[in-house]
Every structure is written in C-alpha cells, then in structure tokens.
Amino acid sequence: MSTLTTAEQELLDFATGALPSWVRSPDEVLASAAKTIAMARAQGDYLFSQALITQATGATATTPDWLDQHARDRGTSRQAGETDPMLQQRLRVIPDAITRQAILDAANAILAAAGVAGSAALLELPRDAAWLGTYTALTGTGGTFVQVGTISKFTPTALWTVPPFQAANVTPQASWQLVISGAASSGNNGTRAITGLEGNAALVANTSGVAGADATVTWRAQRLDALGNVTDGHARSFVGRGWRVITPRPFTLLVILPFGTSAGVAASVAESVRLKKAAGYRVIVERRLNP
C-alpha cells in the first residue's frame, strides 16, 4: 500500500475511530477505501472550484479550458495571448453604464491584471461633436432684370448653385435676401427679401426696379436664420457633447494603450469593450510598441 496523503489519512483515521474494533477490516482494506473516497472528494472539490470564475483555470495537458467555457457561457471567448488573470478580470467586471469612464475603467482593469504599467487613453472621433460645413453666400456677376408691377425678377447669368428660397413650412425656419450692387440702373441696387422663385429668377419687392440685361451687376444671395441674422460663415450644424450623429460609418472610439502593451492584452481589452455593445460604436484599440 502506498503512502497515504493527508486527506486520505484523515479519512482512514475517521473510519478507524468510528468503527468498533470487532468490525474493523484489515488496515489495507480501510486504506484502500480511504484512497477511493479521497479521490472522489478531490474530484468534487476540483469540479466545484472550476465552477468559480476566480478559481477556474485554462487548459493543461490533462484538463480542459474551464475558464474559456465560462467565457463562452457569456457570449465571448479567450483572445489570443489572453492569460487567466486577464480573462477572469474581463468576465467578472463588466460595468452596466456605457460611459467614457466605464470604458476606460474596463481597459485599465485588464492592464492592471496583466501587470502593464500605465493606463489607457480614450479619444472620440470626431471629438464630441459633428461639424457639417459652413453657410456660404451665393455670389456672382451679371444677370437680367424683369419688372412686373412692384415685383422685380432677377435671373443671374449663371444658375444658382442652390435655390435661394425656402418655403415657410420647412423647418428650421429661414429666409433669403438678395443684395444688388453696381447695377446700371441704380433703382435695382439694394438689399431685399427674396419672396419666391420663378424658374431661375429670384423675386423681390421693388417699386424702383428697371428692366434690362446688366452684364456687370454684382449680386449676392444670403441666407438668414429665424431671427434675421445673416448665416454666412456660420456652421451649418454643430452637434455637441451628449448627442450622436447617425452617419454611414459608425461613431468611433479610439482606446490608446500604454507603450509596450502586448497583442494579447490589446485583444483582451478590445473584447471587453465589445461586450459592452456601446450603442453601435466602433471601438479601435491601439497599442504603440515604441515611444
């Protein structure tokens, strides 16, 4: 009979002490029973330990990857180069809130579990806002005036690049004005609200208008906001912090890891953030090998 382990000896001592002397089996029989029971108990202890994320282990020559099975139960898997402590941290700590700090905390927790010095940085692309260009006045030289009663119709030599008029029922409410200068007939000069379009002609109210072609007149069509302010040079749209813009490509977050972070750690961070399902964000995890 081989030497008993501490657990086996404990069982043997228990059996020896519990049984009356007249029913005791030979020592080798009790020792064999102790070994069998200890083996079953050890197997049960092992299986129970593998049911706990903090005690589950990866694959060995004789055991499966219990920790990866925990990951699969949660809709993920071990990433290439991801160690047991990194995967344990990722599976146990997944904050509910999808915030800038929560994403950074998840990344930094994995860096700490992997023993990486430093912390991650986070950039939003574009930075907290969307800029959709600026308003630009329509300008040009040359055109034709047609006078119909108190209405002057001005048709530029070149077509308008955009229609300089907006119907009243279109929001946000805005209007256009026509600025004429250097006209051959001074009655055509001035700044007047555009009241409509007729073909390519802008309509304005002008009792002093004079009909005729004018090759050198300078014109400018300006868009106004609801308060009557000229919008030239101002942003068409600006979406500030707290809002997200739906565009053909998803909103992007860039997580920058410390210098020298391994590919395995980067993969673990990327998978941790992916599990957050961050409102359709695309997350890029960047690791920089050299300062």
Side-chain angles (χ1 to χ4, degrees):
M1 179 65 63
S2 60
T3 304
L4 300 180
T5 65
T6 300
E8 293 167 350
Q9 186 64 54
E10 179 185 355
L11 289 170
L12 178 59
D13 291 343
F14 178 81
T16 302
L19 294 173
S21 59
W22 57 272
V23 296
R24 290 177 185 169
S25 301
D27 287 346
E28 60 270 18
V29 175
L30 288 178
S32 296
K35 281 183 171 293
T36 301
I37 296 172
M39 183 181 300
R41 187 168 71 174
Q43 185 67 24
D45 290 344
Y46 169 74
L47 292 175
F48 177 77
S49 69
Q50 298 307 305
L52 304 176
I53 291 177
T54 54
Q55 297 183 34
T57 57
T60 69
T62 57
T63 61
D65 192 339
W66 294 101
L67 189 56
D68 188 51
Q69 185 57 52
H70 282 289
R72 293 178 183 279
D73 290 343
R74 289 157 179 78
T76 183
S77 61
R78 185 190 296 272
Q79 302 301 292
E82 190 171 35
T83 64
D84 286 357
M86 292 158 53
L87 182 53
Q88 288 168 343
Q89 179 67 26
R90 179 158 68 81
L91 295 180
R92 294 182 64 239
V93 184
I94 303 178
D96 293 332
I98 305 303
T99 63
R100 179 186 181 90
Q101 191 58 50
I103 293 173
L104 280 172
D105 288 346
N108 288 329
I110 294 174
L111 293 176
V116 177
S119 57
L122 178 66
L123 296 178
E124 294 186 49
L125 306 175
R127 179 73 173 179
D128 297 325
W131 174 71
L132 304 180
T134 57
Y135 287 109
T136 304
L138 310 180
T139 60
T141 302
T144 302
F145 295 92
V146 174
Q147 192 68 24
V148 180
T150 61
I151 300 299
S152 180
K153 303 179 182 181
F154 176 72
T155 303
T157 301
L159 293 173
W160 308 106
T161 55
V162 296
F165 181 72
Q166 178 174 295
N169 62 347
V170 177
T171 58
Q173 184 180 357
S175 57
W176 289 77
Q177 66 183 17
L178 181 64
V179 181
I180 298 293
S181 60
S185 299
S186 60
N188 290 327
N189 290 331
T191 300
R192 300 176 180 86
I194 298 176
T195 58
L197 292 177
E198 188 176 290
N200 197 45
L203 310 182
V204 300
N206 181 13
T207 57
S208 303
V210 178
D214 192 335
T216 60
V217 65
T218 299
W219 54 267
R220 185 181 188 91
Q222 297 174 315
R223 190 179 188 275
L224 309 178
D225 63 16
L227 300 178
N229 301 306
V230 176
T231 59
D232 294 352
H234 292 277
R236 291 179 179 273
S237 178
F238 181 85
V239 184
R241 186 185 297 271
W243 296 84
R244 298 295 176 248
V245 180
I246 299 175
T247 60
R249 60 187 180 87
F251 190 83
T252 302
L253 296 176
L254 176 62
V255 179
I256 303 175
L257 302 180
F259 291 119
T261 300
S262 70
V265 174
S268 181
V269 171
E271 181 66 5
S272 177
V273 177
R274 184 193 70 80
L275 287 177
K276 291 177 173 295
K277 297 178 174 58
Y281 288 11
R282 177 179 62 181
V283 178
I284 299 174
V285 175
E286 178 181 290
R287 66 187 186 100
R288 301 180 178 183
L289 301 183
N290 298 301

